[in-house]
Amino acid sequence: MGTTLALVTAGVGLLAALLAVLRRRLFMVVVSGRSMVPTYQEGDRLLARRRRSRALPVGSVVVLAGQHGHGPGHHVPVTVGSRVMTLRTSRYLVKRLAAGPGDAVPPECATAFGDDAPAVVPPGKVVVLGDNTANSLDSRALGFLDEQQIIGTVIRRMTAGSPTPPAPREPDLRKTPRP
């Protein structure tokens, strides 16, 4: 009986240590807003791996710390091209990495950087874009972001957010009972 108790205690300790390691490496983030539609919907829960921005491939979906001075739930006026939008900020930003240090600045971001925009992304900076360019607070409005703002990369969607209701079905007239 004492051996079984010792094995159970050791198993529980090992499980607790494993969970602690995983918690330091992985985290969950909930998508807030529509900036990543159609890839991710508002309310989707994403599993991300804590990771430094060093050597992330362009096209990766990254999780960034929210903008300083704009806490979660604040509405920020943003101009993208000639369009003025009011976007809600959140604790985290989920965006696609469009360019890293030394990469060419994407043409759609040139207006955000002004007339003296550099041709390449400076060291220590990144360019991120939302998949839904019509409704995204990203580098087109924010300019270059610090690499240190990248907290991790999205591994997968764990649960879907607000699902779209199914389309109404037409009645099957073949199964209608006869009088």
Side-chain angles (χ1 to χ4, degrees):
M1 186 69 174
T3 307
T4 305
L5 182 60
L7 286 174
V8 169
T9 304
V12 169
L14 184 61
L15 182 61
L18 177 64
L19 289 175
V21 168
L22 286 177
R23 182 154 173 95
R24 278 183 271 196
R25 295 190 146 220
L26 303 174
F27 65 102
M28 295 284 279
V29 62
V30 178
V31 175
S32 174
R34 300 177 341 160
S35 71
M36 288 301 289
V37 169
T39 307
Y40 300 117
Q41 306 293 322
E42 183 161 7
D44 283 356
R45 291 180 182 272
L46 308 177
L47 180 64
R49 178 184 5 229
R50 293 185 196 282
R51 184 171 177 181
R52 293 288 171 214
S53 60
R54 206 178 309 256
L56 288 178
V58 169
S60 300
V61 178
V62 295
V63 179
L64 301 110
Q67 292 294 301
H68 298 293
H70 302 298
H74 288 85
H75 294 274
V76 179
V78 175
T79 303
V80 177
S82 61
R83 185 171 177 214
V84 178
M85 302 183 280
T86 301
L87 299 175
R88 188 180 70 221
T89 60
S90 62
R91 182 175 175 197
Y92 300 112
L93 298 175
V94 177
K95 305 293 176 193
R96 193 167 301 279
L97 184 63
D103 292 338
V105 173
E108 59 265 38
C109 297
T111 57
F113 304 124
D115 294 335
D116 56 342
V120 296
V121 179
K125 302 291 183 181
V126 294
V127 174
V128 295
L129 295 171
D131 288 356
N132 181 2
T133 56
N135 190 15
S136 180
L137 179 60
D138 54 32
S139 288
R140 293 171 301 135
L142 301 171
F144 295 117
L145 298 175
D146 290 329
E147 274 186 303
Q148 278 71 32
Q149 282 185 260
I150 296 178
I151 300 169
T153 56
V154 173
I155 298 171
R156 65 174 297 179
R157 176 181 18 224
M158 297 303 289
T159 61
S162 46
T164 32
R169 295 174 63 184
E170 293 292 321
D172 187 355
L173 299 177
R174 294 174 296 167
K175 294 182 180 177
T176 305
R178 295 184 180 202

